[in-house]
Amino acid sequence: MKNFWCEVDLDKIQHNVDLIKGLSNKKKFMAVLKGNAYGLGIEKIAEFLEDKVDYFAVADLTEARRINTEKEILLLSPLVSKEDFAVDMENLIYTVDNEELLESLDKEKTYKIHIYVDTGMSRMGIKLENLDKVIENINSNFKNIIIDGIYSHLHNTKDVKYTLKQIESFKKVTLKYKDSIQNIHLLNSSGLLKEDVRKAVDFTNLVRCGNVIYGYDGFSVGFKKVYSFKAKAVNKHKVKKGSFVGYSLAYKAKRNMTIGVLGFGNIEHFGFSKDVKHNVFYDLLKVIYNHIKFRPVIFKGNTGVKILGRPNMNVTLIDFDNFSMEDVFTVDISPILADSAIEKVYKREINE
Ligand SMILES: *Cc1c(COP(=O)(O)O)cnc(C)c1O
């Protein structure tokens, strides 16, 4: 019994989705579910979002197969080989950034694609200046390919001026396809959060975002964090003043005290600290730092709970003097970094 779980609040997801729709001004909504829905469990999140989205997007075919949906799924990773084209799923849309690859496809079958254009990230994509040529080539030589969308990625939205320029160059080339191609899209979460950026993409008709659905970002405009890791003690015991607690004599009890045992540790990807060089000077700094600034990662309500020693493989020890076995603690870890095997509990209170 680990007594450790990740609570996912579906009402908050609903709230975030409503907010996305409000901010994006009636654009179609593509929910990004890559990375196991940012660590929250792709199957359940997809099921909940099914009637709230126009499209799903995932990283690759393996993720797409985990979703049970009537909606179309855009594969965000561009195709690199013919094998990436699944023949057994009807609802896939492929990202293409290499027209030569289209040659190798089955001419008898129809494929829906979105063309990815590079607007400055140089990660992948067709160069903007080649887009017209590529579209013309596909339209005249590949009758089995449907160009259903064009998109690019806003990769530096902290710099609004840069982003507005990026949008402008994308617009110049894509605007003429507004009526002939179904989906022209740019907005991701960080773009959606910026008013100037939202305004500048008025020529696009779809928002493609992940972060803000799950509330990793955007608190300032009202998005809510939808996940929370929770734990109850699996055991407790008393120790005498002066006893050492945990590995490496890392903690010595300053009084007779009660120790609480929490059933998670490094295995759940909890408690990894940066590798630090140990020397006297550094250790001294650390002592001072910890004295001034105790930054807790386990909480009871708003109060930080002291971890004794370092988290082990599968347990973490805490100062349990003021707590009981019924107390529920919250644990500050990012679902993206936490072990995906941690049990998820999906909560829904509002009935539709
Ligand atoms: C991950 C990803 C997104 C979603 O980004 P968020 O910041 O989570 O909204 C959008 N587009 C592409 C191409 C991505 O890879």
Side-chain angles (χ1 to χ4, degrees):
M1 190 63 177
K2 279 182 189 295
N3 278 357
F4 181 52
W5 67 98
C6 176
E7 200 172 272
V8 182
D9 189 330
L10 298 174
D11 295 326
K12 287 183 180 162
I13 293 187
Q14 178 72 61
H15 165 91
N16 291 346
V17 167
D18 292 342
L19 202 51
I20 291 166
K21 291 185 176 176
L23 284 173
S24 71
N25 194 18
K26 308 226 163 62
K27 292 190 198 319
K28 287 179 265 184
F29 173 37
M30 177 182 278
V32 179
L33 297 177
K34 70 182 175 204
N36 193 29
Y38 291 51
L40 299 177
I42 193 168
E43 293 87 352
K44 273 288 167 127
I45 301 291
E47 183 189 319
F48 180 68
L49 290 176
E50 176 74 12
D51 59 354
K52 302 165 180 65
V53 304
D54 298 288
Y55 296 94
F56 287 118
V58 297
D60 54 34
L61 198 51
T62 315
E63 288 186 334
R65 291 196 196 284
R66 291 172 62 187
I67 306 178
N68 181 11
T69 180
E70 300 288 313
K71 298 283 158 69
E72 289 179 304
I73 308 170
L74 174 68
L75 304 181
L76 292 168
S77 303
L79 295 161
V80 287
S81 79
K82 190 175 116 183
E83 284 68 41
D84 293 342
F85 282 85
V87 283
D88 58 341
M89 281 181 78
E90 296 294 324
N91 57 342
L92 292 178
I93 305 173
Y94 301 92
T95 291
V96 166
D97 77 342
N98 168 1
E99 51 182 325
E100 278 117 64
L101 191 67
L102 302 175
E103 300 277 1
S104 61
L105 298 181
D106 186 350
K107 293 273 189 301
E108 305 300 309
K109 231 185 137 305
T110 315
Y111 301 92
K112 234 183 212 188
I113 66 165
H114 284 203
I115 298 176
Y116 183 88
V117 264
D118 180 22
T119 51
M121 199 179 183
S122 307
R123 178 170 68 169
M124 57 193 209
I126 280 169
K127 296 267 163 282
L128 258 182
E129 60 269 26
N130 295 335
L131 182 67
D132 292 337
K133 228 171 47 200
V134 169
I135 292 178
E136 201 187 300
N137 176 27
I138 295 176
N139 283 340
S140 43
N141 297 319
F142 296 93
K143 297 287 175 235
N144 60 329
I145 306 285
I146 301 163
I147 304 174
D148 180 67
I150 308 173
Y151 72 107
S152 189
H153 199 48
L154 302 177
H155 61 107
N156 186 28
T157 48
K158 275 199 306 272
D159 186 342
V160 172
K161 224 169 117 188
Y162 173 92
T163 303
L164 293 180
K165 260 199 204 146
Q166 188 190 6
I167 293 169
E168 199 50 41
S169 62
F170 181 82
K171 182 176 179 176
K172 239 185 229 156
V173 181
T174 58
L175 195 59
K176 56 178 156 314
Y177 299 110
K178 206 167 174 256
D179 298 320
S180 57
I181 293 180
Q182 290 284 332
N183 300 290
I184 312 272
H185 47 122
L186 270 178
L187 266 192
N188 52 11
S189 295
S190 56
L192 183 72
L193 295 175
K194 297 219 155 65
E195 198 182 348
D196 290 348
V197 175
R198 288 200 301 272
K199 276 194 192 134
V201 298
D202 58 355
F203 64 101
T204 67
N205 62 352
L206 180 148
V207 51
R208 180 186 81 241
C209 58
N211 258 291
V212 286
I213 303 173
Y214 316 109
Y216 282 95
D217 204 357
F219 309 117
S220 57
V221 296
F223 286 95
K224 291 181 179 169
K225 192 177 106 175
V226 306
Y227 58 88
S228 175
F229 287 88
K230 307 246 164 135
K232 278 163 86 169
V234 291
N235 208 346
K236 64 172 183 175
H237 51 260
K238 291 192 157 60
V239 296
K240 288 220 151 55
K241 179 178 174 179
S243 313
F244 286 103
V245 177
Y247 277 108
S248 326
L249 312 180
Y251 181 80
K252 189 175 177 181
K254 294 180 182 65
R255 55 178 197 277
N256 291 341
M257 65 190 295
T258 306
I259 307 271
V261 181
L262 301 180
F264 60 89
N266 302 156
I267 293 174
E268 286 75 25
H269 306 178
F270 178 73
F272 287 108
S273 52
K274 283 184 231 98
D275 264 330
V276 284
K277 251 201 278 173
H278 277 274
N279 62 47
V280 175
F281 179 66
Y282 178 80
D283 285 346
L284 187 66
L285 278 182
K286 200 161 74 173
V287 168
I288 296 170
Y289 176 80
N290 285 342
H291 184 71
I292 301 170
K293 196 175 177 207
F294 159 58
R295 198 180 74 78
V297 286
I298 300 178
F299 295 85
K300 177 71 185 78
N302 290 322
T303 311
V305 174
K306 190 168 172 51
I307 296 175
L308 306 177
R310 274 190 292 279
N312 305 165
M313 280 299 273
N314 52 0
V315 301
T316 296
L317 305 174
I318 57 171
D319 181 342
F320 207 62
D321 268 352
N322 300 314
F323 303 121
S324 82
M325 296 299 284
E326 294 314 306
D327 281 329
V328 177
F329 299 93
T330 56
V331 184
D332 195 4
I333 341 176
S334 160
I336 293 177
L337 302 178
D339 181 6
S340 62
I342 296 168
E343 185 195 0
K344 316 271 184 314
V345 176
Y346 298 89
K347 214 177 75 177
R348 180 100 171 110
E349 269 156 21
I350 301 167
N351 286 316
E352 278 168 338

